[in-house]
Amino acid sequence: MSWPDRGYYYCLMVISLLSAKLMHLFSHFTALPLILFLLYLPTFLLLDLLVVFGGRALFKWSKIGGIILSCLVTSTAAAQIGFFIETGGEIRWSFMLKVMREPEGFFGMLMSGFPGLALTIGIFGGIAWLFNPGLYNITWRFLRWTGHTIYPPAIRWKRYRRNSNLREEAEGLVSGSEQEKSMNRQCSFFGLTWGRVGLIAYAVTMIVLLVVRPSSPYRHLSGTLPFTIFEGLWTTRSEFCEPIPWDEGAVEFPYPDLISNKLWTLDNPDGRRGWRPGSNVWQPRERPDWLPEHEIPGFGKFYRKNFSESHPPPPPPHEHRGHGPPPPPHRRRLDSRHLHERGHPPPPPPMTGYDPAQDPLKISNMDEPILEQLQRLLEKKRVPIRNVVILTLESTRKDVFPLMKDGTLYNQLVESRGGSGKLKKRDESAAEWADLSELSRIAELVTGQDAGFGPRDIGANLTSGGINVNGVVTGSTFTLKSLLGSHCGVNPLAVDFLEELETEVYQPCLAQVLDLFNFQQNQPGDGDAEWPWLHNSTWRSVYMQAATAKFDRQAPFLEQIGFKETMVREQLQAPSAKYPPKNPELNYFGYSETELKPYMRDLFLNAKANNERVFLSHLTSSTHHPWATPPEFGPQQQYWGGKNGGSSAWNRYLNSIKWGDQWVQQVLELLKEVGAEDETLVVIIGDHGFGFGGETNAKTTYANPHIANFWVPLVFRHPLINLNGPGDQGSGMIQINATMTSMSIVPTILDLLVTTGSLRKSQHKMARVIQNEYEGQSLIRHLRPEVEVSYATADGRTVKTTRSGLNFGVINPGGTLLSVISQSPRTPYRLVLPVCENAQYTVSDLRADKYEAGTGVLESWEKGEKLWERVEKRFGSEAREWVERAERIAGWSMWEGRRRWGYDGGTRREDRGAGHNEDGKLEKDHWWDT
């Protein structure tokens, strides 16, 4: 027997393979509850067993083929382990293969990692020598026993009717001694019947586990060598899966003509920024005199004075004329990361943060007048805003807030019950059907929308008042990312889960702005003689939810966005809780919202007693899956007929919506009870919608781009903002139709505080400057969804076009898909494009098909020119032009978003290190919770 023989190479392959797999499982061990990890462990090892036994068969039939497989697995396993030890992360073979295609990158990577690679392979070799040839022979005996168990005796006799002297070599055994040969002769296995029972039981168990096992993250845990390498070869990953391309400065805006210096504007004397995107002036922001000398949270961009001294400005943008392909957004050398690790300093990154003057998409309406209806009302009476409440309704779609008679959803409910005639009778008299007119009666009151059910007693001691905005879409279908838009006025990162926590929010959140107001000392003549109780008060920001704050690091996230006081599930159930819960937990997130009611009452009563102003943010959770309702709601009713009736998800959802409607009533009545109703601005916003069967195939928001997940209600409620006079009919509310996002909430609140005189005079300028910093527009002014642009081309022609606003929507969990919706009613289109997901492009005409029922939707696996051609055939040339521009700007916006956040991590959770295993997870109270 020559050495090293085939048995040694086989042992080397198995040891390397299992070592890499153990490291892989270890790095993700904390990502799953222990029970689920152990339950699905056999499925994690399935591909490894295939390599172990398939490789053994390969060694029997082809020694050279087996040695090649062994060398491949050993070298890549050593590289994978070395990479994990060095970085704490796992190799993305698709990226590494790109690096290896360039000679400079290949040799740079080889030289930098060669010592560690050689040492690891040496350790593998030593362990393999200890197990050779025993492991090689035992594996073959198991394969032979499996064959004997599966094949009938007659087939076995034909296959193995050979003389005993040749059988050992034919079977591929390597016998290093007489002892091995004797062991071969003496080996015995279980009886034939029990062996078959065992194999069948194993096969059935594996099939069941694979069928019931969720895709993420279990599929990633099942990956093993060399399959992950082949996947890297055959799978083309999007450029947006990779880290940020900062080696050559910030990614350029793809339409330089739209940001030409001929279109720039100067800063305003009142401190508001002008507009000059693409300029070379990358100077730090000057700290306004109303900011304290020490840095305060949320205003970091005003304190970065030395950035331009330590980093040269980026090069000016390249001139680009016409509509040809823009420069590629990702142009870095693929080996740059390795060169930087070897001691070569990387080029300076572009400045992080946000400057409205440098935003190519910024369209401000701060120079537009206040809405005429509101202006006339404020001239007649004063509207104090002492408190601000942001009431975020979990999973609440616009078409149920309120449910509109003869609307799409209403008609679907009618049809499920057997038709309009039957519905009318049963809706009025039959007890088996829920009364649709009662589903969202409080939503009718607070929105001021006539749902079409006729005059009736709402049953609440409340009045309408405020501003209702129709056409609002969420900034993200992931709840915590959605809160960033509504509370901080920012676009979240298009990466999985709450990675924004790893950086600094690039705008001041509302709670931080109100804290800034607390810093300012009251000066003589600064307040209002009529409202000393208002202007001499300080702000107190509190966050409340009856659900847990242990999901995806929510507790530190709340602190990051400015909330120093919180009331969540963990505090409700603490032994020291002032008001112990009266009912058990409603779902796997926590309690019913009613457990918060006494704490809310105390908050407003104590604030008035202590001369404080309240900013309360409250997120509901009962309208989240599994859509359970509390005991005081009573038995759930039948809204749907047919397959969606009974205990179906759709029916449970509508019951939870009715409960949510009742909870809104309780919150508003509590404000009235404590005497705060007429001095409180209540902002009601849905965090995102929720799509169900019949609308979308997936009953989830996860990687689900359907428009039903995006339309949400938005109301700015204040009883004194009511246009009705004595004897007037109607709600008296201001109705706005605008395709905007929740990013407009913060600038609108600040605009209302100033416009109504609810801030001290010295705070007016502060609020105006801060308000203009946000990307969203104020909803109490005339909106500007687009601006006209004209520029001269190189051949002297004058081109007229428009610069339209775009609403970006990050789809749960963040790194899968991105939604782009036009703000302009002239181009009512929507584009959904993959971020780091193997998915189709979707284009829809929302004017023709608002709920994407199919008539106005186009899906395509193609992108770029081929996609644009299909769009033009389906929707026309105007749609093609918009989709072309939206696709290019969306790609730029994803890189620009990472620059603003200063984020350079992985897009998907599995692209990050072991320290991110808990991203997107609900931290359990006990290890056995699943």
Side-chain angles (χ1 to χ4, degrees), residues 697-712:
N697 294 328
K699 298 178 182 179
T700 177
T701 60
Y702 188 94
N704 183 359
H706 195 272
I707 192 64
N709 296 320
F710 278 83
W711 295 123
V712 292

Side-chain angles (χ1 to χ4, degrees), residues 589-825:
F589 275 119
Y591 297 94
S592 165
E593 284 76 22
T594 51
E595 304 295 347
L596 294 171
K597 196 170 182 179
Y599 295 98
M600 290 183 179
R601 182 182 292 106
D602 285 356
L603 173 64
F604 284 95
L605 291 176
N606 293 335
K608 182 165 289 189
N610 298 326
N611 197 29
E612 293 176 325
R613 307 175 71 172
V614 172
F615 168 40
L616 170 64
S617 174
H618 169 45
L619 171 66
T620 65
S621 56
S622 296
T623 44
H624 189 282
H625 178 274
W627 304 295
T629 48
E632 58 263 38
F633 180 78
Q636 292 202 354
Q637 300 173 300
Q638 294 300 310
Y639 285 97
W640 284 96
K643 64 179 181 179
N644 290 326
S647 60
S648 70
W650 239 130
N651 200 66
R652 285 185 283 117
Y653 172 78
L654 290 182
N655 276 275
S656 71
I657 288 296
K658 183 176 182 180
W659 160 246
D661 192 68
Q662 295 174 1
W663 174 242
V664 172
Q665 176 182 351
Q666 292 188 47
V667 172
L668 299 180
E669 288 179 341
L670 185 147
L671 293 174
K672 190 179 187 70
E673 173 191 333
V674 299
E677 182 186 25
D678 289 346
E679 56 187 30
T680 301
L681 175 68
V682 180
V683 181
I684 302 175
I685 177 71
D687 65 337
H688 55 76
F690 205 97
F692 288 91
E695 299 174 317
T696 170
N697 294 328
K699 298 178 182 179
T700 177
T701 60
Y702 188 94
N704 183 359
H706 195 272
I707 192 64
N709 296 320
F710 278 83
W711 295 123
V712 292
L714 175 58
V715 180
F716 295 85
R717 181 184 187 273
H718 196 297
L720 299 185
I721 303 180
N722 192 302
L723 305 178
N724 282 348
D728 289 346
Q729 299 296 318
S731 68
M733 292 186 61
I734 300 173
Q735 300 290 334
I736 299 175
N737 296 312
T739 307
M740 294 292 178
T741 72
S742 55
M743 290 174 60
S744 291
I745 289 178
V746 176
T748 302
I749 291 175
L750 293 177
D751 207 2
L752 277 168
L753 288 172
V754 173
T755 304
T756 59
S758 299
L759 295 177
R760 297 199 304 266
K761 295 178 182 178
S762 61
Q763 296 172 345
H764 285 196
K765 180 179 179 181
M766 299 162 54
R768 289 295 188 213
V769 172
I770 295 171
Q771 178 188 350
N772 196 57
E773 291 289 318
Y774 295 100
E775 297 156 78
Q777 299 185 26
S778 170
L779 296 174
I780 66 170
R781 297 177 182 271
H782 290 280
L783 297 172
R784 301 178 67 191
E786 60 185 4
V787 292
E788 295 184 355
V789 174
S790 62
Y791 58 87
T793 62
D795 57 2
R797 293 183 301 108
T798 299
V799 176
K800 293 184 177 181
T801 184
T802 56
R803 185 167 60 87
S804 301
L806 298 174
N807 296 320
F808 298 103
V810 175
I811 294 170
N812 183 10
T816 55
L817 301 157
L818 183 73
S819 168
V820 188
I821 299 178
S822 172
Q823 293 181 3
S824 172

Side-chain angles (χ1 to χ4, degrees), residues 378-626:
L378 294 177
E379 290 173 356
K380 297 178 182 178
K381 63 180 177 180
R382 305 196 67 179
V383 179
I385 301 177
R386 177 177 187 144
N387 310 303
V388 174
V389 176
I390 296 183
L391 180 54
T392 306
L393 305 179
E394 168 70 45
S395 301
T396 300
R397 304 155 44 128
K398 175 54 185 173
D399 58 357
V400 296
F401 199 90
L403 176 71
M404 303 295 289
K405 190 173 183 180
D406 296 326
T408 301
L409 179 57
Y410 178 90
N411 290 334
Q412 290 173 350
L413 289 164
V414 169
E415 293 174 6
S416 75
R417 297 181 178 191
S420 59
K422 294 182 180 180
L423 171 68
K424 186 173 292 185
K425 293 179 181 179
R426 291 177 176 177
D427 200 12
E428 295 173 352
S429 59
E432 63 265 28
W433 294 122
D435 187 349
L436 296 181
S437 67
E438 292 294 307
L439 175 66
S440 52
R441 57 187 178 85
I442 300 302
E444 291 184 58
L445 174 73
V446 299
T447 61
Q449 292 182 264
D450 182 1
F453 293 103
R456 65 193 190 284
D457 182 16
I458 295 295
N461 187 24
L462 299 169
T463 57
S464 295
I467 304 168
N468 180 55
V469 188
N470 296 296
V472 174
V473 291
T474 182
S476 177
T477 56
F478 184 76
T479 296
L480 298 182
K481 288 180 180 285
S482 177
L483 292 183
L484 282 169
S486 59
H487 288 63
C488 305
V490 298
N491 271 311
L493 282 167
V495 303
D496 279 357
F497 305 115
L498 202 59
E499 283 296 274
E500 292 84 355
L501 189 60
E502 302 291 321
T503 67
E504 177 187 14
V505 182
Y506 63 83
Q507 294 280 32
C509 302
L510 181 58
Q512 295 164 337
V513 175
L514 300 180
D515 281 344
L516 171 65
F517 293 159
N518 290 340
F519 277 106
Q520 302 303 311
Q521 299 295 323
N522 194 5
Q523 301 173 2
D526 194 20
D528 192 312
E530 296 182 17
W531 289 350
W533 51 271
L534 180 64
H535 293 154
N536 295 331
S537 303
T538 56
W539 288 93
R540 179 184 176 188
S541 300
V542 182
Y543 179 91
M544 290 188 182
Q545 66 179 38
T548 180
K550 292 183 177 181
F551 176 74
D552 199 14
R553 305 164 286 176
Q554 185 184 3
F557 166 71
L558 295 176
E559 183 178 353
Q560 181 191 34
I561 63 174
F563 290 101
K564 301 171 184 176
E565 294 184 60
T566 60
M567 177 58 65
V568 297
R569 166 186 174 264
E570 287 69 34
Q571 292 157 284
L572 288 173
Q573 63 185 196
S576 59
K578 184 177 180 180
Y579 304 103
K582 297 179 180 179
N583 294 306
E585 293 186 81
L586 186 64
N587 52 39
Y588 50 83
F589 275 119
Y591 297 94
S592 165
E593 284 76 22
T594 51
E595 304 295 347
L596 294 171
K597 196 170 182 179
Y599 295 98
M600 290 183 179
R601 182 182 292 106
D602 285 356
L603 173 64
F604 284 95
L605 291 176
N606 293 335
K608 182 165 289 189
N610 298 326
N611 197 29
E612 293 176 325
R613 307 175 71 172
V614 172
F615 168 40
L616 170 64
S617 174
H618 169 45
L619 171 66
T620 65
S621 56
S622 296
T623 44
H624 189 282
H625 178 274

Side-chain angles (χ1 to χ4, degrees), residues 844-897:
S844 52
D845 182 349
L846 298 180
R847 179 166 46 199
D849 189 2
K850 182 177 181 179
Y851 289 98
E852 295 182 343
T855 57
V857 180
L858 181 149
E859 295 179 337
S860 174
W861 286 99
E862 299 171 321
K863 62 180 180 179
E865 191 69 35
K866 293 183 178 179
L867 171 66
W868 307 335
E869 290 175 357
R870 291 193 60 190
V871 170
E872 185 172 15
K873 291 179 181 178
R874 180 73 175 273
F875 301 115
S877 58
E878 183 183 61
R880 175 201 167 115
E881 181 182 353
W882 182 88
V883 170
E884 177 181 350
R885 182 176 293 183
E887 182 181 359
R888 289 175 172 171
I889 293 178
W892 167 84
S893 73
M894 283 186 270
W895 293 129
E896 171 66 9

